[in-house]
Amino acid sequence: MTERRPRKDAARNRAAVLAAADTLFTECESPEDVTMADIATAAGVGKGTLFRAFGDRTGLIRALYTTRLEPVRSAVEEGPPPLGPDAPPLQRVPALLDALLCFKLDNRHLALALEATGSDSPYQAEHYERWHSLLRSALERIPGLTNSDFTAHALLAAVRADLVEHLAGQKGVPREDIRNQLASFIAEVLGGTGPDEAPR
């Protein structure tokens, strides 16, 4: 019993911290405004608890991002077409990018915070390398498409969090307009499907 309670408390504290951070990032004007002290206060825990559980602010942001992205990750790795691994590449590539765009539209400030953290280059961040590898693998299966590595980078540039924030947050472009514009861009790059065939 004495060994279980700390683990239960730690799990409860972790859930409270992630919930508090999620709310703060959703409601903030800028992700830079959200501090570890703010999160600790909102979660009702000490700052030391945050640092023990997550290491630093970057670790907390990554943990929250991973938690929020879990339904998308599950659909991509185990789900049916068009997101799942058995989908034809001309269907899967637009579906992957649309799912990533929608996630960033729904989690703009969290995505901005994540892309502002990490290594010297955002292209070396674990989350970026994972999406790039996924897209590159799908693109390699499209006949006649060359340089899948660069194409994956170019397509991911279209769903960067700072661009999503610029379009949706600063210019007020409607969600469906952004999705349609992305679908048209992908169709032009792939030269296969039209925007009407891209997933919604």
Side-chain angles (χ1 to χ4, degrees):
M1 294 292 292
T2 56
E3 293 182 359
R4 282 186 170 184
R5 178 163 294 187
R7 288 201 293 270
K8 288 182 179 178
D9 289 346
R12 184 165 57 247
N13 287 341
R14 181 183 178 88
V17 167
L18 291 176
D22 193 18
T23 298
L24 288 172
F25 277 113
T26 298
E27 297 178 351
C28 71
E29 292 187 10
S30 168
E32 296 176 359
D33 295 338
V34 181
T35 67
M36 291 290 268
D38 294 333
I39 296 170
T41 299
V45 302
K47 282 180 65 176
T49 299
L50 266 67
F51 287 104
R52 283 192 298 273
F54 301 100
D56 55 17
R57 184 174 181 273
T58 297
L60 193 157
I61 290 169
R62 288 175 177 165
L64 178 56
Y65 190 90
T66 298
T67 299
R68 295 285 289 157
L69 191 64
E70 175 58 27
V72 178
R73 184 207 63 77
S74 179
V76 167
E77 294 183 1
E78 306 166 5
L83 270 181
D86 293 333
L90 283 174
Q91 291 181 15
R92 195 179 192 207
V93 169
L96 289 170
L97 288 159
D98 183 67
L100 187 54
L101 171 65
C102 288
F103 177 82
K104 291 187 178 183
L105 284 166
D106 292 336
N107 301 273
R108 295 204 318 264
H109 291 159
L110 176 60
L112 274 173
L114 179 72
E115 291 185 7
T117 65
S119 62
D120 293 337
S121 168
Y123 304 105
Q124 294 175 354
E126 180 183 354
H127 67 93
Y128 183 88
E129 290 183 342
R130 190 160 51 242
W131 280 102
H132 179 266
S133 176
L134 188 64
L135 274 175
R136 185 186 63 225
S137 297
L139 291 166
E140 287 172 347
R141 297 170 52 206
I142 299 177
L145 184 70
T146 59
N147 203 343
S148 58
D149 186 83
F150 177 81
T151 303
H153 283 303
L155 290 171
L156 285 172
V159 293
R160 276 184 55 91
D162 52 1
L163 177 58
V164 172
E165 171 63 17
H166 173 70
L167 294 174
Q170 298 175 21
K171 296 188 68 176
V173 180
R175 179 189 186 93
E176 290 307 309
D177 287 356
I178 299 175
R179 294 181 69 196
N180 289 334
Q181 289 164 9
L182 176 65
S184 295
F185 172 66
I186 296 169
E188 290 178 10
V189 171
L190 299 185
T193 57
D196 292 340
E197 299 174 53
R200 293 285 180 266

